[in-house]
Each structure stands twice: as C-alpha cells, then as structure tokens.
Amino acid sequence: MPGIACYTSFTYAYLSRARVLARSLRRLHPDWSLWAVLTDHPPAGLPPDALAEFDHVIEASALGMADFPAWLFKHDVVEACTAVKATMLRHLLAQGAEKVIYLDPDIAAFAPLDLLSDRLDAASIVLTPHQTTPDTTEAAWRDNEGGSMRYGIYNLGFLGVRNDRTGQDFAAWWEERLLAACYDAPEDGIFTDQKYCDLVPGLFPGVHVERDPGCNVASWNIAHRPVRITRAGEVTAGGRPLRFYHFTKIGPPGTQAPGNVMTERYAGENFEVHELVAWYRREVAAATQPEAEAHPWHYGRWADGTPIPRPARLLWRARADLRRAFPNPFDPTGLLHWIATQEPAILGRDPAG
Amino acid sequence: MPPQDAPQPDWLVWSRFKLRPLAPPPVPEARVEAVYNDWVLDTIAPEVDPSFYRRAAGIGPEEDPVRHFAEHGWRARLNPNTLFDIGFYLEFYPDIAEAGMNPLFHYAYYGRAEGRMPARPGGQPRHVVEQARIPSRRPPGWDAPEGAPPVSEAELRTALARACLGRTGLVLSVSHDCYVNVTGGIQILIADEQALFNADRTAYLHIAPAIARFTFAPAAEEVLLQVTLDGSFLGLAPESVVEAALGAPFLPRHRLFVVHSVLGHRAAALARLAATLGPAESVFWVHDFSALCEGFNLLRNDIAYCHAPPPTSTACRICVYGAERQSYLAAMHRLFAAVGFHVVAPSRAALDLFLSRTSLPMRSARVHENLALGPAEPLPAPADGPPRVGFAGFAIPPKGWAAYQRLLQRQAGHDTYRFLHFAIPGHDVSMTGLAKIDVEVRPGQRLAMVQALREAGVDLVAVLSPWPETFSFVAHEAFAAGADVVALEDSGNIAAAIRRHGRGVVLRDSDAFVRFFEEGWALDYARQRAQAPVQAHAMHLTGTTGTLDPARLATTPVPPGETADPGLIVVRPDGVAAPRLEGDTQRFALPAGTTEIRLVSRHTVAPGDARQLGIAVTALSLDGTPVPLNDPRLAEGWHAPEAIWRWTDGNALLRVAGAKLLEITVATVAPWRRVPLAA
C-alpha cells in the first residue's frame, strides 16, 4: 500500500462527524487512502453505504491487541478511541503506507494538506501545538496555555508519521504507552494519547513542529488566528490558507456545549468563525445516520445492557485480582455480579439492597 | 481647515471635503443621579435604557422603568437595553441564577469588573449566521392575497383580448411578487414601466409566483402565478394556463418579454412562456445579483459581501447559497441560452460587477438608470445644533442597521449628534436617543421620503448596505432632499453615486463608520457642509424597459470579457465536482458508483474555427489509467479527435464506470470567454 494513508478513530455516535471529515479529505486528496478505525460494533439497521466515504474500515478488536475485552474495559469512550490510535498507526506502517496522517473525526479540511504531507519528506514525525502565539490575558492564559500544560502541548487531533526507522520507533513507543495507560488522568501527568507526545521532540530525532497558523485551528488558538475570507473566496487563518479546523465539542447553536462556549469566547466578533461552525453543523446534520446517532457505545455496557460507570473501570484498572478472576469483564455474571454484591455503590445501588 | 495635503485616514475612502477630526462636545453629566436612595436601583439606573425598556415592557410614561425592571422586568427576562441579555447571563452564569439575584445589578456591581460577559459574544452577526438557511430548504411563503380567485384560460384570453384591442404591443413581465399589492422600489418601478407601456399603446401582462421562494421553484412542481393585467390583479393561474392564453392568435405583433426577477419561478417554464410569446426582444434586469447566485445580494451567509467568487471556492462551500449555486447557475444558464436576453442594469457599477462574474450567454448588456436627478436648487443653510444623522428604511442587517445601532449604543448619553429613523408606520426601534419619523413611499406619495428628509433638515443619511446595491433609491432620495450620504466602500452604486454627485462620504467598513462619528470627523464634515451651498434636486423617474430604445437593443454588442480559466466543472447526476489544479492537469474526485459525468466549461474561439468549442483535452485518465482520446467512453459533445487534442463543445459526456479519480489535461489554445458564444 504505497502512498499516503489517512485514518481517524471513532465510535458510531461520531459517524456523522467522521463522514464530514472524510468527504472534506476526499475532495482535496482523492489519491489518499482513507481508513476508519471503529472501537464499537455497528448499530442494527445501519445502511451498508454508511461508511462509503472511507476506503477501509477496521474494528479495533481486529487490530490484534492481547486480551482485547479485558484491556478495553479499562477505558471510557474517549480513552478507548485514543488508546487504539498507536496500534492502528503501526498497522498502517506495517501495510506499507509511505506516510500516515491521523486526523480527529471532528476535523474538516478546507485546503489541501500537502504542506503537512510534504513535511514528511524531510521529517519523520509532524506535530501541531495547541498554541503558537503567547496569550496576553490571564483568563486566556488559564484557558489555553494552562490547558496545554495540563493536557499536552501538541494537539493529537493531528499527527503525521513517515514510514522510516524513526517513525516506526515512535509508533512502537507510543503503542507501548497507550496499551499501558491511555487515561484521562492529568493528576498522574497522563492525558490519553496526547500528553505522552510532549516527550516526542526530546525522545526522537526528525520531529517537525508545524507552526503554520492554517493548521489545526480551534477554539484554543482562534484568538490569535483571525479567520478571513478573501475576495477570491479563499478562507485564511492568521493570514495563511485555512487547511483544517478542529470543531472540538461543538454542539447545537444556542447551547452551552463546551465547544460553543470556547468558540464564542475566543472568536468574539470574528463572524467568519461562526460561518465555519454553522457550515459544520449543517454538514454534520446532512451526514447523520439516525441509527448511528442513537446507538449506545457497544463497550459502554455489560452484555446484559447495564451501563458501565466510570468507577467500575477505575476499579478494574486498579485490581489485578479482579482481572485474573474474570477474564471477560463484560460478562454480567462475572465482574458485574461481583460489583453488585461487593461494591454496589459503584452501580449507584444501596448496599442494603 | 486642514491644509490641502493633510493626510486623510486610509479608512476614509472618499469624501466631499478634506476632513480633520473636531473634538466632540463634552459628555453631559450622568443622566441619572442617585435619586432612588436605594443601593440596587441607583446601581442599575444608568444601565436601563428608558425608551428601549418601556417598549419592551409595554409600560407608559407614568411608570418608572428602573423600578419596574427591578421589581418585575428581570424576572420576566425583559432586557434593560440592547447590550445586556438577561437570558444569556442567567444561563451562562448559573451561580447568579441560583442566588436569585437581579442579574443586571450583579453585572453592574460585580460582573463587569470580574470580566463576565453581558451577552453572548459575536452579537448580531453570529445570530445572523446561525439563522441563515439554504434557500431551497426555507419554508416557502404564500404570497398571494387571501381569497384570490382562480383565472381560467378562457377568462385570461378574454381579458387579454380586451386589453389588446387597439393596442400595437404586448409585454409579458416577470418578477418575484405582485407589484400592485406590495410597496417597494422594484414594485414602483414596474408600475412606472406598466404605465409607460400602456401610454404607448402596449398591453402589460405581469406574472409573479403565488408562493414566494428565494430560489427557482422545484422543476417538478407547476407554479401557480399571480396574474396582473395593465395594473389590475386578475387572480391566480398555473403556468400552463398563462402559456395557453399567450398562444391566442389575436395578440399584437410587437411583443416584449421582460424579467425583473426569476425567484419563485421555474426556469424551464419561463423559457416555454417566452417561446410561446415569441417576443421581438427579451430583457433581463439586473436589479440584484440573482443571476450570479441564489444569494441575490451577494451576502455570504447573509452577513458579508462575498465578491461573487467562483462557485467552486471554499467561500461558496461554507455558504448557505453555495450549497446549490452550481445547479442554480446551470438552470439560469439554460434559461439564458433558451431566451436570448438583452441584459439591462440600473447602474454602471452593477453591470460591471455582473459582467465580471458571469458566463451567461446574452445578446447585449447595457446600463439604464432608474432615475435621474434634475438641476440643483439651493436650500436654506442647515439649522444650528448637532448634525442630524438619518437612517431611512427597514432596520435590518442587509441595509446596514447593525452599524447604525452600534453607533447609537456608543453615543448613548452624548449630545453630539441627532439620530433620526425614517420608516413606515409601525416599524419602530425604540432606543433612547433615536427619534422615529413615519414615512411611507407609495404610488401617489412617491416623494414622501424626500419631503420627510428635507423637513427634518437631515445633514447626513447613513445608507449602510454592506453589499453592492445595484441602484439605491434611498441614496437618490437623500440627494434630492439636499442631504449628503454616508456609505461603505463595497456598496456598489451607493458609493458610486456619492462620488458622481460629489455628495457624501465613502468609508471602508462599519468600523470606519463608527470612527467617523465618534472621533469627530463627521462634525468637521457637517461644519464644512453648512458653509457650502446646500442643494436639492428634483427626481426624474426614467429607467424602465418602457424608456429603453428598442432599436438600440439589438445593436449594442456584449462587452468583451476573456479569461484564462476554462471554468471546467464536472456535473454528475447528484451534484457538481470541483477541480483541483496541478499545472495544466485538473483532478476531480468522483463519488463511488458514478457511471457518467458531463464536462462543462466556458467557451472559446480558435482562429479560423467556426465550431462551438469548449476545452481542448490533451490527456484523460480514470483512476490513473489513461483513456485514449478516441475511446467510445467519450460519448457526446466531443468534436473529432485531432493530432494532439480533442475538443469538447463545452458540455461533453464521459462514461466513467465507477472510477473515483478523473484527471484531465487541458491545452490553452485561446482565452475563454466569460460570456460564451452569443445565441
């Protein structure tokens, strides 16, 4: 599989966003091979062409992780979708892709990404920092630079890797870390797959930090990258062509979805940003498959349908004895039964009941 | 007076006078004293706009708005002014809602200092963008009078026969609404046009859709038309009835087909009506830019002038009007190709913009202004006092109300200018510092706006349309009234008319508009204006189809327009694909399952070649595999293969059998014509 492989990782609840990403890439890069890795099982009644925007679809369970159910049970949905990224990267490198690009499913591309793929002619790894310009107010510092210090300097909504020795070494290192602990645990210095990558420029040679303001534009840097639309109809950010925008946590208009709040706060009077967001909402609505939208995450429940609360996952991470005792934690007669009798508070149940 | 070479700021694009900023008078003392002897009331009093709040709360002058707000208003979520949004504040800061505190008091006493936001950021522009809808998905609105009677073919034939008795001509006129039932600039112009034709022994049949739309009507739905004959509304008839009635043998021989607006009609049905009418000439008016885009005023997402970029641009991709622009333009192209229009624009600015952006085939293009200003007559010098700054018409975003409102908000409590809003009765924006003057322009009271502006002694009329207006009656009414006009740079004929008549100021954008007043440049303008002779004008209504010289229509050639861009697009059954350019090669991504596509382009003329020529293709490949130029998959619309290329005729069929990537290399033999070969 020569050429450029581009992949994204999601569950079916995010299918509409992933389709918007894939459509935006397809029109700009018809020669890229587009991959979807799904940490989920397909919902009943999903039309066969629901993933037609992608050239290849693979379930995370097919990537060959050891003891997949037991490992996956440690993760909530965001942790799980990020935890499989490194294994998928190695899969694509093993398939022979010359360059691999990862993009989050809530990204959309507006101009060709050749700038980034061309960087991989010289570099082995390309990362995009959340911020490339210092913030000037304390409130913004706390939201944005402070966020980077807690959750990671580089936004792992984008990653570029060349299939060379360094790229392969990086992928192996990253996979080892993610299989061990891809958790939302900033108190432990860990934030999913992202915070580990603060170490990458130190650990590996050939790392390019992409500071082009048109890359990975999002609420956390929009204040420094004003979006403009030229007379010729080109969209720019910070004076450069807008290559891709990261629509993190954007919700319906008028709601307090975190992406709405941060976008409104930092885009302010830059109405062109609101135009992009309104477009994105329309595209997502048009790409929505109702079966997928309403689909509960397959790994979010025990096999009998009982929702898995986060404390149950934390317990499972912490207790090697439970992991030995119950090889398949999704089996309701095993771990769930144990929790219901021994730790009912985890399920929100009265111990006496 | 500033010296002649005094630098003018770059945002001051054009001005009648060389200007310098004059210091505004001092701001009067705070208008509300601590008179309530109540901590809460005295804190919020400066924040409550009495005029705005009285209207919002529906209270009369006997009630104290500050007290009413504190006791009732905030709990009913009545906003105290145009800047503070109670609903937002309580929702965004749940701590305030939980504390049960008057949110305006919280904001004034704590929140402002804490950096809290009084309203959702982004303001009106964000709201406008979020409300924008793709035209075909907006709910269509019934536009005909209640109880309008149906009109049968026999009734319409009889009415036409009567109207055409003793007449030598017949006009079929098309617009988006029924001009005798709606008051507005275009409607008045059509009424003038009808009167002129009637006076010239010509009957005037007008059709408008009964259902208003912002685009063409769906191709599969017959449109019900509002039918008006010589100014009398007859009733409703489907297109087929009008078409059949126009086939009557007794109609006068000299016939004209005039399109003022196509919105709400079906392109194919209009083409059929024109064919049945058999007009000597057909005229298409550029009253707006709906021949370039469904967004007739070229406001991308209803918010910003887009400059009509190529339909394949990223700007069009993110715009509600871009979603369907290519199929809309294809329908427009078929209409123009079928009818053979003479294009008429009401201003040079409008025609130049239109021609620079279109590739529609047309027989000619010309300017015909809607009205002319008569010789100047002196008016008495303006009265003393603060300069009077008017806004005429609806307080809506496409007319630039947001900028005027922002100035009003920032001038609250100042006494530097007098602000006046001239609009129809009932259309009131209550803000302290803004005086409303009722004006209704309609047939019989055509000069009502001129009179009102003149009587109020308005110095400057803010005509702040953020898009290139094709004419602007308001700007001309202001000139006629003796006022000067403040406009924005991209306002088309408004800015052009200011320069032409030497009457006003052209500013770069709405920020410059606020600066012009806030920094006192407007004070210097008013001072110099008061020293110059103030001149009013008579308005001569001229420019309708009825005043065009039909003999000239057929003789004026289309202005030449050439481009190096073949404008190649791929039209699929389900949409249109944009190319990605790599040197001479254009690459198109095709969705899975595509079996055939059309290569649609501009036309060109090669020396000594009389064929209709589109693009000269030198190489073609599907999914990376070359396709020979004599391959049977090059199915229709291809001229015979030549030594190194094969010409299309501008609309060629290619069978792609499920390929996902199409690459085409095009030779540049001669420039392409923006206006393809005339019919």
Side-chain angles (χ1 to χ4, degrees), chain A residues 49-65:
Chain A
D49 63 350
L51 285 153
E53 286 85 359
F54 292 94
D55 297 301
H56 307 276
V57 178
I58 189 163
E59 282 202 15
S61 56
L63 285 173
M65 281 89 124

Short mmCIF file of all heavy atoms in Angstrom, two decimals, chain A residues 49-65:
data_model
loop_
_atom_site.label_atom_id
_atom_site.label_comp_id
_atom_site.label_asym_id
_atom_site.label_seq_id
_atom_site.Cartn_x
_atom_site.Cartn_y
_atom_site.Cartn_z
N ASP A 49 -23.97 1.59 3.02
CA ASP A 49 -23.05 2.61 2.50
C ASP A 49 -22.73 3.69 3.53
O ASP A 49 -22.19 4.74 3.20
CB ASP A 49 -23.63 3.26 1.24
CG ASP A 49 -24.93 3.99 1.52
OD1 ASP A 49 -25.47 3.82 2.64
OD2 ASP A 49 -25.41 4.70 0.63
N ALA A 50 -23.07 3.43 4.81
CA ALA A 50 -22.88 4.47 5.82
C ALA A 50 -21.42 4.87 5.98
O ALA A 50 -21.13 5.98 6.42
CB ALA A 50 -23.45 4.01 7.16
N LEU A 51 -20.52 3.98 5.61
CA LEU A 51 -19.09 4.28 5.75
C LEU A 51 -18.42 4.37 4.38
O LEU A 51 -17.19 4.21 4.27
CB LEU A 51 -18.42 3.22 6.62
CG LEU A 51 -18.72 3.36 8.11
CD1 LEU A 51 -18.62 2.02 8.82
CD2 LEU A 51 -17.78 4.36 8.77
N ALA A 52 -19.23 4.64 3.34
CA ALA A 52 -18.70 4.60 1.98
C ALA A 52 -17.64 5.66 1.73
O ALA A 52 -16.86 5.53 0.78
CB ALA A 52 -19.85 4.76 0.99
N GLU A 53 -17.60 6.69 2.55
CA GLU A 53 -16.58 7.72 2.36
C GLU A 53 -15.17 7.18 2.62
O GLU A 53 -14.19 7.78 2.20
CB GLU A 53 -16.83 8.92 3.28
CG GLU A 53 -17.99 9.80 2.87
CD GLU A 53 -19.33 9.32 3.36
OE1 GLU A 53 -19.37 8.25 4.02
OE2 GLU A 53 -20.35 9.97 3.08
N PHE A 54 -15.10 6.09 3.36
CA PHE A 54 -13.78 5.53 3.70
C PHE A 54 -13.43 4.39 2.74
O PHE A 54 -14.31 3.63 2.32
CB PHE A 54 -13.78 5.00 5.14
CG PHE A 54 -13.89 6.11 6.15
CD1 PHE A 54 -15.13 6.49 6.66
CD2 PHE A 54 -12.77 6.78 6.58
CE1 PHE A 54 -15.24 7.52 7.58
CE2 PHE A 54 -12.88 7.82 7.50
CZ PHE A 54 -14.10 8.18 8.00
N ASP A 55 -12.14 4.28 2.43
CA ASP A 55 -11.69 3.16 1.60
C ASP A 55 -11.62 1.88 2.42
O ASP A 55 -11.82 0.80 1.89
CB ASP A 55 -10.30 3.47 1.03
CG ASP A 55 -10.33 4.68 0.12
OD1 ASP A 55 -11.07 4.65 -0.88
OD2 ASP A 55 -9.64 5.67 0.42
N HIS A 56 -11.28 2.02 3.69
CA HIS A 56 -11.09 0.84 4.54
C HIS A 56 -11.68 1.12 5.92
O HIS A 56 -11.49 2.21 6.46
CB HIS A 56 -9.60 0.52 4.72
CG HIS A 56 -8.86 0.40 3.42
ND1 HIS A 56 -8.84 -0.74 2.67
CD2 HIS A 56 -8.14 1.31 2.74
CE1 HIS A 56 -8.12 -0.54 1.58
NE2 HIS A 56 -7.68 0.70 1.59
N VAL A 57 -12.37 0.12 6.45
CA VAL A 57 -12.92 0.24 7.80
C VAL A 57 -12.43 -0.96 8.59
O VAL A 57 -12.48 -2.10 8.10
CB VAL A 57 -14.46 0.25 7.76
CG1 VAL A 57 -15.02 0.33 9.18
CG2 VAL A 57 -14.96 1.42 6.92
N ILE A 58 -11.96 -0.69 9.79
CA ILE A 58 -11.43 -1.80 10.59
C ILE A 58 -11.93 -1.62 12.01
O ILE A 58 -12.01 -0.50 12.53
CB ILE A 58 -9.88 -1.84 10.51
CG1 ILE A 58 -9.32 -3.10 11.14
CG2 ILE A 58 -9.25 -0.61 11.12
CD1 ILE A 58 -7.87 -3.37 10.73
N GLU A 59 -12.35 -2.73 12.63
CA GLU A 59 -12.74 -2.65 14.04
C GLU A 59 -11.50 -2.79 14.91
O GLU A 59 -10.63 -3.61 14.62
CB GLU A 59 -13.76 -3.74 14.37
CG GLU A 59 -15.15 -3.37 13.88
CD GLU A 59 -16.25 -4.11 14.63
OE1 GLU A 59 -15.97 -4.69 15.70
OE2 GLU A 59 -17.38 -4.09 14.13
N ALA A 60 -11.47 -2.02 15.96
CA ALA A 60 -10.29 -2.03 16.83
C ALA A 60 -10.01 -3.43 17.35
O ALA A 60 -8.85 -3.82 17.52
CB ALA A 60 -10.49 -1.06 17.98
N SER A 61 -11.07 -4.21 17.55
CA SER A 61 -10.89 -5.55 18.09
C SER A 61 -10.11 -6.44 17.13
O SER A 61 -9.59 -7.49 17.53
CB SER A 61 -12.24 -6.19 18.41
OG SER A 61 -13.04 -6.18 17.24
N ALA A 62 -10.02 -6.03 15.84
CA ALA A 62 -9.31 -6.82 14.85
C ALA A 62 -7.83 -6.42 14.74
O ALA A 62 -7.12 -6.94 13.89
CB ALA A 62 -9.99 -6.69 13.49
N LEU A 63 -7.40 -5.47 15.56
CA LEU A 63 -6.03 -4.98 15.45
C LEU A 63 -5.03 -5.87 16.19
O LEU A 63 -3.83 -5.63 16.12
CB LEU A 63 -5.92 -3.54 15.98
CG LEU A 63 -6.51 -2.47 15.06
CD1 LEU A 63 -6.51 -1.11 15.76
CD2 LEU A 63 -5.75 -2.39 13.75
N GLY A 64 -5.55 -6.84 16.91
CA GLY A 64 -4.64 -7.84 17.48
C GLY A 64 -4.11 -7.51 18.86
O GLY A 64 -3.10 -8.08 19.29
N MET A 65 -4.77 -6.60 19.59
CA MET A 65 -4.33 -6.37 20.97
C MET A 65 -4.60 -7.64 21.79
O MET A 65 -5.64 -8.28 21.62
CB MET A 65 -5.10 -5.21 21.62
CG MET A 65 -4.59 -3.85 21.20
SD MET A 65 -5.46 -3.35 19.74
CE MET A 65 -6.12 -1.81 20.26
#
